[in-house]
Amino acid sequence: MWLADALLGAVGPELGEVTILGGWFGVLAAVLLHDPRFAIGRVVSIDIDPRCAAIAESVNATHVRTGRFAARTADMLEIDYEAVAASAAASGKADLLINTSCEHLAEFGRWYERVPAGQRLVLQSNDYFACDQHVNCVADLAAFRAQAPMQEVLFAGERRMRRYVRFMLIGRR
């Protein structure tokens, strides 16, 4: 919900085509698609785990039937982001790329360099170094901003959780 609220404040209601990386079971897609504050053309949820797509499509079944949601299995390090941006531009819709899994990317720098300059982004990470799956945590919001330098930052914030602090950036690469 924090992401939805911050996104609305930073970007406004018109989201157009949305791609969620590390989308797991499609919960974030469901939150955004069911939020009446947003105008969304379509959400594509991408995860590397092949078990996620069927569950994400079940969670978002209403939107699958209307063509507003799709789940894909892919490695975010192998996606052609120029093609994703071109596809959104050709449809006349704004494009938004969401990655709430930055702490899981050992090759974050390689991924970030593949994202086209000017791409509208929502990124999240955390300082939960104690989790073995978190191979790319950041110490604080300043470190996250340095790791993901944006030409335009529309939102930068943090939210204290019980065991860690979550960081979020919204802007243009």
Side-chain angles (χ1 to χ4, degrees):
M1 296 309 300
W2 177 44
L3 186 151
D5 292 341
L7 186 59
L8 183 66
V11 173
E14 301 291 330
L15 301 185
E17 302 287 323
V18 178
T19 300
I20 300 174
L21 303 170
W24 289 307
F25 299 134
V27 175
L28 177 57
V31 166
L32 295 175
L33 285 165
H34 286 284
D35 191 325
R37 301 176 296 175
F38 293 113
I40 298 173
R42 184 170 188 232
V43 175
V44 177
S45 181
I46 299 172
D47 201 278
I48 196 169
D49 186 339
R51 298 172 295 179
C52 293
I55 296 168
E57 288 175 345
S58 178
V59 167
N60 291 283
T62 301
H63 300 295
V64 169
R65 286 191 295 275
T66 62
R68 294 185 63 220
F69 178 82
R72 304 280 182 262
T73 301
D75 182 342
M76 71 174 79
L77 288 167
E78 304 303 323
I79 294 170
D80 182 351
Y81 294 100
E82 293 286 350
V84 170
S87 172
S91 69
K93 302 195 188 269
D95 186 53
L96 177 66
L97 190 61
I98 300 174
N99 183 347
T100 63
S101 303
C102 296
E103 69 274 10
H104 290 270
L105 283 176
E107 296 183 76
F108 178 84
R110 182 166 85 87
W111 171 77
Y112 196 71
E113 286 302 314
R114 295 176 55 83
V115 176
Q119 172 68 59
R120 196 163 56 169
L121 291 171
V122 177
L123 303 176
Q124 286 188 354
S125 189
N126 63 52
D127 68 353
Y128 193 28
F129 292 94
C131 179
D132 291 341
Q133 295 175 359
H134 292 182
V135 295
N136 183 46
C137 290
V138 291
D140 54 32
L141 185 58
F144 192 33
R145 289 181 75 152
Q147 183 182 66
M150 294 188 178
Q151 61 179 298
E152 178 184 20
V153 176
L154 302 170
F155 175 88
E158 60 185 58
R159 173 154 265 174
R160 182 159 299 280
M161 310 305 273
R162 192 165 51 99
R163 294 185 181 154
Y164 59 92
V165 178
R166 189 119 186 108
F167 308 108
M168 181 162 49
L169 299 172
I170 300 173
R172 291 199 181 272
R173 157 104 169 62

